[in-house]
Amino acid sequence: MAKEEEKINQLFKENNLHYDFTINDNAFIEIFVENGDWKHDHIRLKNIMATAGYVFLGRHIPDTEENSGDDSFSAVYLYHV
């Protein structure tokens, strides 16, 4: 997975993204967006990952964030290589 990690690091660097991520042994990628704006962070991340060929599997938004009424929220995104 080191090669895939390098690829994602480069993708994030080229697009000025600063999110933590992990890749497990089954090639599932979890990206952690902390208090990101819905448009400039969340939608932008989804578009960049899709353009790079990653398959979006879903996201998890903590219950405390879901109905906050704010434009910013935290979420964990799940992708597959």
Side-chain angles (χ1 to χ4, degrees), residues 34-72:
E34 188 73 32
N35 198 32
D37 177 75
W38 70 272
K39 183 177 183 181
H40 299 104
D41 292 295
H42 295 277
I43 291 177
R44 183 168 177 255
L45 172 66
K46 288 176 72 174
N47 288 339
I48 289 168
M49 293 299 284
T51 300
Y54 293 97
V55 178
F56 175 69
L57 300 173
R59 73 177 178 190
H60 170 73
I61 301 170
D63 292 338
T64 56
E65 302 268 338
E66 210 164 84
N67 297 314
S68 69
D70 193 2
D71 284 347
S72 296

Side-chain angles (χ1 to χ4, degrees), residues 15-27:
N15 289 283
N16 199 28
L17 300 177
H18 305 284
Y19 307 123
D20 291 330
F21 69 92
T22 61
I23 304 173
N24 70 19
D25 293 338
N26 296 319

